[in-house]
């Protein structure tokens, strides 16, 4: 035990795994509290039609600003939520919040707005919750039609229990929602499920998109995914478009839509609606920075 100079507090050195385990545990405790107190937020990242530059939708992404620790990334707290089961209440909260935000935007605009909101669903929710009933409930309580929602599912939700996944995907389609396969290409699902399950959209994982700039293999993978989607009658979305060059290249390759910092970061509720409006007001810059 060493004496820390400034505070005079003893600085205890513990093995890295132990301090990680402690952080994980306090994240879990504090996440439970944050959910109880409604302290999480949802941000909305625009999805852009790569041909026209129009906003086609927004992906709802959970945000957590901790009173002491500051911003905690979902890449840290979502896995904790999944391991602890808190993802069930977090997922329900996100679904309800996203649907009521979209219904609120419609009400503000006085019209059924021409875009959707995409909500992430964890494999744990698919395995343990009645997702179709949850989504159906959110639609009923907001009056939204199913075509206003996209559900982003990952390959891991298929792998664990393919028969259950088939029932869930079919039930989501019966609600007229759009089903997207998130982070496509990073999981372990068999291509046979692409054929068997009612999947509308393949979301190309950010790692491949980022890789396109430096790695010919990534370009080959992206091309292959685009042609696979085309052959199976699915649409495509690219994640992580950070430059004009990537946007133009992906558009030229036939990728239908994309999201990324080049267009916009995830935005707070008001900013998101303003972003959509600003793109309408300036048709000359429809492609914005393109
Ligand atoms: P995801 O569903 O693949 O979401 C896309 C992630 O890529 C988001 O990270 C987004 O902010 C980030 N991103 C988008 N464009 C760019 C870009 O141009 N550059 C870079 N560097 N990043 C970009 P975020 O918000 O940190 O979320 C991480 C993951 O956490 C999500 O990945 C999703 O798997 C999970 N997540 C977030 N919110 C929820 C939620 O409400 N429910 C569930 N089940 N998972 C969530
Ligand atoms: Mg997603
Ligand atoms: Mg994704
Ligand atoms: Mg991803």
């Amino acid at each position: 035990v060493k004496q820390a100079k400034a505070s005079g507090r003893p600085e205890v050195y513990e093995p890295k795994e132990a301090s990680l385990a402690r952080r994980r545990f306090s994240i879990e405790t504090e996440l439970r509290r944050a959910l109880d107190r409604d302290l999480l937020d949802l941000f909305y990242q625009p999805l852009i039609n790569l041909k026209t530059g129009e906003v086609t939708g927004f992906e709802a992404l959970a945000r957590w600003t901790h009173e002491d620790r500051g911003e905690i990334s979902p890449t840290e707290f979502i896995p904790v939520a999944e391991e602890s089961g808190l993802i069930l209440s977090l997922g329900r909260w996100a679904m309800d919040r996203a649907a009521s935000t979209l219904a609120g935007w419609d009400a503000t605009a006085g019209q059924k707005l021409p875009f959707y909101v995409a909500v992430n669903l964890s494999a744990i929710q698919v395995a343990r919750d009645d997702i179709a009933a949850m989504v159906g409930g959110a639609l009923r309580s907001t009056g939204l039609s199913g075509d206003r929602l996209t559900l982003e599912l990952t390959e891991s939700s298929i792998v664990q229990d393919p028969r259950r996944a088939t029932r869930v995907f079919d039930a989501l389609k019966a609600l007229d929602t759009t089903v997207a396969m998130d982070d496509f290409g990073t999981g372990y699902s068999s291509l046979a499920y692409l054929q068997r399950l009612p999947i509308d959209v393949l979301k190309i994982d950010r790692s491949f998109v980022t890789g396109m700039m430096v790695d010919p293999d990534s370009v080959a993978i992206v091309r292959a995914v685009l042609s696979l989607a085309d052959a199976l009658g699915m649409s495509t979305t690219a994640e992580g478009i950070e430059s004009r060059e990537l946007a133009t290249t992906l558009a030229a390759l036939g990728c239908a839509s994309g999201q990324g910092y080049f267009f916009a970061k995830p935005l707070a509720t008001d900013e998101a609606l303003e972003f959509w409006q600003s793109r309408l007001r300036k048709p000359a810059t429809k492609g914005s920075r393109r």
Side-chain angles (χ1 to χ4, degrees), residues 16-33 64 66 69 72 76-77 79-81 83-84 86:
K16 192 145 186 257
E17 308 83 72
S19 73
L20 281 177
R22 279 204 312 151
R23 178 166 167 102
R24 191 213 157 281
F25 181 74
S26 54
I27 296 266
E28 179 184 330
T29 310
E30 288 162 36
L31 181 59
R32 180 170 287 117
R33 215 175 61 117
W64 181 19
H66 188 280
R69 298 175 199 265
I72 302 179
E76 179 169 18
F77 69 77
V80 174
E83 285 164 30
S84 60
L86 287 173

Side-chain angles (χ1 to χ4, degrees), residues 59 120 152 182-184 203-206 239 259:
E59 178 175 6
N120 291 286
E152 298 196 357
D182 206 352
D183 305 331
F184 183 69
K203 288 195 79 171
I204 304 171
D205 191 64
R206 176 155 65 90
E239 298 180 337
Q259 68 192 103

